Amino acid sequence: MAVIVIAGGGIGGLATALAVAAGGHRAVVLERAEEFAEIGAGIQLAPNGLHALDALGVGARVRGSAVHMDELRFMDGVTGEHVTSLGLTADYRDRFGSPYVVVHRAELHQVLLDACLAADSVELVAGATVTGYEQDDRTATVLLADGRRISGTAVIGADGIHSAIRGRLVGDGEPRVSGITVYRAVIPMERVPVHLRFPRSVVWWAGPGCHFVHYPIAGGRYLNLAASSDDGRTEAFAGVPVDTQRARREFATLRAARELLELGEDWKTWMLVDRDPVPQWTDGRVALLGDAAHPMLHYAAQGACQALEDAVTLGCLLEGGTNSAIPGRLTAYARLRRERTARIQHIARESTRLWHPAGAAATARNAMLSELSPRELQDQVAWMHGFQVAQPGKEVAA
Ligand SMILES: Cc1cc2nc3c(=O)[nH]c(=O)nc-3n(C[C@H](O)[C@H](O)[C@H](O)COP(=O)(O)OP(=O)(O)OC[C@H]3O[C@@H](n4cnc5c(N)ncnc54)[C@H](O)[C@@H]3O)c2cc1C
């Protein structure tokens, strides 16, 4: 039995602990925060993310607390035109084997945490800030800020976009500042007029240099609002409150969505950051996973889904792995995951070309999208949403 030391107890780290435990190993999860918890609002999970959760044995619980979506609805935020909808009902579910859902991020994290707490072979250590790693022929050791050293057979860096493990392994400095600020707010559904609720839709309102997305969370009790502005700011910041008037001014061009935007209160803002894909995910007994490996803008709604796919793939590959086999298994994992995640990083970055045009370019975009048949719309996302990660116990072609 190997001991897999995991830096970071977010969605990716906890999923990895479950996956390696299912493969017969021990997992030790080191989390910087004083307790294992998630903040933040809603998260969309496409069928590929739910398949990964099924493989981890928690898919049913997540589906149970999630809101199942019927459409991804695309609106012109200036004219109010309903451009098109990607249907998520029977056809989509039959084709991709699962619904498309939204959950509260804290609920998803809690489901993974409960499963880890119930697993004898998962150890959770809070208040453990990872600063780097060392390794030799047989062990990999995580270094902690308080001087402790935690050794295992392998180390997985699941410590997010500012990963200390990546800092040592790749050394590509600070994340790229995108120049796009996202404004987020959550409002109780009872405050939303009935005609604006779209209770089973993820709704996009596109406008010049900005767009606005909303969807219900927490069983439909709240509406999650996220509006993005291409404001070209050059500094990174996170969770900065802004006053309601400023949020309204920033998205004034989205006239058709104004009624909803005006319901938002307690807006907080984040500068979106990401990184370029890199070929190097492993160093001997050390590998990166989730946002530490492939941080992406959230526009494809796939960051967590990809972290879950990473975890299941890694768990499958490590199953039955002896000490000497581990570095090769980590290399195989990276080889299997790099291309797919890089493609999604790229698509997420490019997607504002679709959402943010103005004038004639926006009209041309609307025409192009509205000409796609329901099947053609599905085809656009099939490679992403329809992917079924290998299940533990089943062979993964390495
Ligand atoms: C606005 C927004 C909306 C999004 N929407 C979606 C969506 O709809 N669907 C989707 O699939 N994805 C979405 N994502 C992406 C998703 O949130 C991330 O991809 C996912 O959370 C990555 O999980 P992770 O565990 O790899 O990293 P993280 O969630 O960043 O977790 C890293 C963990 O490591 C800990 N940590 C960090 N540094 C250290 C250290 N030095 N030592 C120890 N512990 C450390 C952190 O405290 C944290 O617990 C969205 C992201 C954003 C920003």
Side-chain angles (χ1 to χ4, degrees), residues 114-127:
D114 287 347
C116 284
L117 289 168
D120 289 340
S121 46
V122 176
E123 184 186 348
L124 300 171
V125 185

Side-chain angles (χ1 to χ4, degrees), residues 6-15 29-33 35-38 41-46 48-49 100-103 105 108-109 125 127-132 142-144 157-165 182 184 215 224 226 270-273 289-308 310:
I6 299 162
I11 291 165
L14 295 183
V29 186
L30 306 171
E31 167 57 42
R32 172 176 62 186
E35 58 181 307
F36 282 75
E38 258 286 1
I43 200 154
Q44 302 171 52
L45 294 173
N48 59 309
Y100 188 106
V101 304
V102 293
V103 286
R105 186 181 285 268
L108 173 60
H109 189 265
V125 185
T129 300
V130 173
T131 56
V142 164
L143 314 177
L144 297 184
D159 46 347
I161 188 166
H162 298 285
S163 166
I165 300 293
V182 63
R184 307 190 85 188
Y215 50 82
N224 185 69
W270 282 258
M271 169 52 64
L272 293 181
V273 292
L289 181 143
D291 277 8
H294 45 68
M296 54 185 72
L297 301 186
H298 67 280
Y299 296 138
Q302 278 286 323
C305 294
Q306 292 309 306
L308 293 166
D310 289 348

Side-chain angles (χ1 to χ4, degrees), residues 55-68:
L56 297 171
V58 294
R61 246 196 92 188
V62 173
R63 281 187 188 79
S65 65
V67 186
H68 295 221

